[in-house]
Amino acid sequence: MKQKLQLSWARVTGLIFLLIIFVTPILIFAVPKPAFSEEENKYLARFPKFSAETLLDKSFMSGFEEYAADHFPARPQWIALQTRTLLSLGRREVNGVYILKDRLIEKLDEPDAELVNNSTEAMREFAGRFSGSTYLMLVPTAAEIYRQNLPFGAPTLDESSVIRSVYSALEGSLNTIDVYSSLAANRDSGIYYRSDHHWTSRGAYLGYSAMSNQLGFTSVPMDLFDVEHASHDFRGSLYSKVIYDGVEADTIDIYTYPDGPNVTGVSVFDGQQWTEHDGLYYREYLDRKDKYSTFLGQNQPIVTITTDCPTDSSLILFKDSYAHSLAPFLALHYSKITLVDLRYLNSSFENYVDLSEYSQALFCYNVKNFTQEDYIRRVNLAPRG
């Protein structure tokens, strides 16, 4: 009897294995595929182009592997299982994310010194040709502010050293803004999301306050803002990498100052055409996975905000997505703000923006983007003649 049960179980196991072997490819290739994964908040790989050339240069096989991995059946469930398994084995880092008791933190690689130098020199060159005042604010990530909470011996970038080095190199060329001190002093007040790589609205407020004196305005006190808790179930980009529910979901807060100026227009350039939006917030994202895009929507090459602010101050802001939750605070003090995301422009931003219309320029990047991406040098691309 025991032998028969063992034989039956072996047959069942073999059948399951065969089903996985033969059914999985069918599910990967035959079932219609979404272009975007809401759960992972990313665009999924497309099937690679097949040709003799792509076979020879091996790009077809690498593309095929990426496609198969992205479209593996029940991929989010497999990621979650992988995370739980590794945690049970004592691992605290999964897919480049440190899993702590109360938050997820992204691991940062060491910077490319040449890349950082290129970006630094590009900003110096821009400041030299811009007629107004130029500022730089490098924002540390949660990995720096919560460094002491990381697993013992966990390697991560020394962001404070990077900031000091860049600021020192630019001394005398443009104005640098210290937001590090304020963020470090308020580390326990909810300044970064627990499951996303961005700072929260409270963190962005600290950035706004840190730059106020140098940019020439007085920040509105925190207690004068109305705070709307717009969503309580935000699970962000870091959650998408590990699919781990052991960390509490985040709240999306929207700060409004009832006595401030009104936003009169939001113009968005998507690389092809300009469109108008009815305000700073895209509330439809509150019902989606990517809730951070409530702030100014998803990344676009250029966004211009106009207000009825009585001053004639205007700001051009070169940025990553950290600036999206910062912009509503800045809109209280400028009649026009233009946000430029150089990642999405392969030609000069001056083909679409008249630089002479701005009295101030601000570079605002988190340290990860600044040290690992090479696009800031595009700020000096020559416009079309």
Side-chain angles (χ1 to χ4, degrees):
M1 182 67 176
K2 183 178 179 181
Q3 186 177 5
K4 288 183 178 180
L5 286 174
Q6 288 176 337
L7 184 59
S8 297
W9 177 244
R11 288 174 176 171
V12 169
T13 304
L15 180 60
I16 292 173
F17 180 75
L18 289 173
L19 284 172
I20 292 173
I21 291 295
F22 289 105
V23 173
T24 297
I26 295 173
L27 292 175
I28 290 176
F29 297 107
V31 175
K33 305 297 187 299
F36 184 82
S37 168
E38 283 283 341
E39 187 69 27
E40 297 183 69
N41 192 31
K42 73 169 191 173
Y43 286 95
L44 302 177
R46 296 181 178 181
F47 194 83
K49 180 181 179 181
F50 180 81
S51 68
E53 182 180 354
T54 59
L55 277 177
L56 289 173
D57 66 14
K58 300 182 181 180
S59 62
F60 175 80
M61 288 308 300
S62 61
F64 177 82
E65 290 172 4
E66 184 180 1
Y67 176 87
D70 270 8
H71 295 281
F72 193 87
R75 175 178 162 86
Q77 288 75 18
W78 282 107
I79 294 174
L81 177 61
Q82 177 198 40
T83 297
R84 290 195 297 270
T85 301
L86 292 175
L87 286 174
S88 70
L89 296 174
R91 283 273 299 274
R92 306 307 301 174
E93 180 201 334
V94 180
N95 292 337
V97 175
Y98 293 120
I99 301 177
L100 309 185
K101 182 179 179 180
D102 61 343
R103 69 174 57 249
L104 305 175
I105 291 183
E106 188 171 22
K107 176 184 175 183
L108 271 63
D109 296 326
E110 287 298 314
D112 182 320
E114 182 178 358
L115 185 155
V116 172
N117 183 67
N118 289 343
S119 296
T120 302
E121 290 306 310
M123 291 187 295
R124 189 197 313 277
E125 180 181 342
F126 173 86
R129 68 186 181 86
F130 179 55
S131 60
S133 301
T134 305
Y135 305 84
L136 168 64
M137 184 169 75
L138 290 180
V139 184
T141 72
E144 175 66 26
I145 299 302
Y146 302 108
R147 173 184 287 270
Q148 64 266 45
N149 299 104
L150 296 178
F152 179 75
T156 191
L157 175 64
D158 183 354
E159 298 180 46
S160 62
S161 176
V162 170
I163 293 171
R164 288 195 303 271
S165 176
V166 172
Y167 281 12
S168 176
L170 288 170
E171 186 175 0
S173 298
L174 48 74
N175 306 287
T176 56
I177 298 166
D178 173 29
V179 68
Y180 186 104
S181 300
S182 182
L183 292 172
N186 290 274
R187 64 187 303 276
D188 297 322
S189 62
I191 57 176
Y192 294 91
Y193 293 111
R194 289 182 288 262
S195 65
D196 190 76
H197 67 285
H198 293 102
W199 56 5
T200 63
S201 294
R202 184 175 180 84
Y205 174 85
L206 294 177
Y208 152 74
S209 296
M211 68 175 65
S212 61
N213 287 339
Q214 284 177 266
L215 268 69
F217 59 81
T218 301
S219 59
V220 176
M222 172 75 77
D223 58 6
L224 296 184
F225 285 92
D226 292 336
V227 181
E228 175 191 354
H229 304 305
S231 173
H232 294 285
D233 59 353
F234 174 39
R235 294 191 182 276
S237 59
L238 304 183
Y239 170 85
S240 298
K241 291 185 176 184
V242 295
I243 316 296
Y244 178 67
D245 295 326
V247 169
E248 184 180 352
D250 286 299
T251 298
I252 295 289
D253 287 334
I254 294 176
Y255 285 52
T256 54
Y257 179 49
D259 296 329
N262 299 305
V263 172
T264 56
V266 177
S267 302
V268 180
F269 179 67
D270 64 3
Q272 300 294 327
Q273 62 182 356
W274 289 90
T275 58
E276 297 296 318
H277 191 261
D278 58 3
L280 296 174
Y281 302 104
Y282 287 61
R283 289 181 174 271
E284 62 269 26
Y285 283 100
L286 292 171
D287 299 319
R288 302 182 190 176
K289 169 71 169 57
D290 182 20
K291 298 183 191 302
Y292 185 77
S293 288
T294 300
F295 303 102
L296 280 184
Q298 295 185 317
N299 291 312
Q300 298 289 355
I302 304 174
V303 177
T304 292
I305 303 164
T306 55
T307 76
D308 60 7
C309 183
T311 71
D312 59 357
S313 296
S314 53
L315 174 71
I316 186 164
L317 172 53
F318 301 99
K319 59 85 183 178
D320 58 26
S321 54
Y322 266 49
H324 288 208
S325 52
L326 177 67
F329 297 111
L330 294 176
L332 299 173
H333 305 279
Y334 291 92
S335 57
K336 180 167 71 171
I337 302 172
T338 291
L339 296 89
V340 178
D341 199 326
L342 296 166
R343 292 174 294 184
Y344 303 100
L345 283 171
N346 292 318
S347 60
S348 173
F349 74 92
E350 293 181 77
N351 292 328
Y352 316 102
V353 175
D354 184 352
L355 193 57
S356 67
E357 295 179 358
Y358 300 87
S359 54
Q360 296 176 325
L362 169 65
F363 291 87
C364 177
Y365 295 98
N366 74 71
V367 172
K368 179 192 174 183
N369 283 346
F370 184 82
T371 60
Q372 297 182 10
E373 298 192 40
D374 189 20
Y375 52 79
I376 293 178
R377 57 194 176 89
R378 298 175 190 169
V379 74
N380 295 310
L381 290 176
R384 290 190 294 265

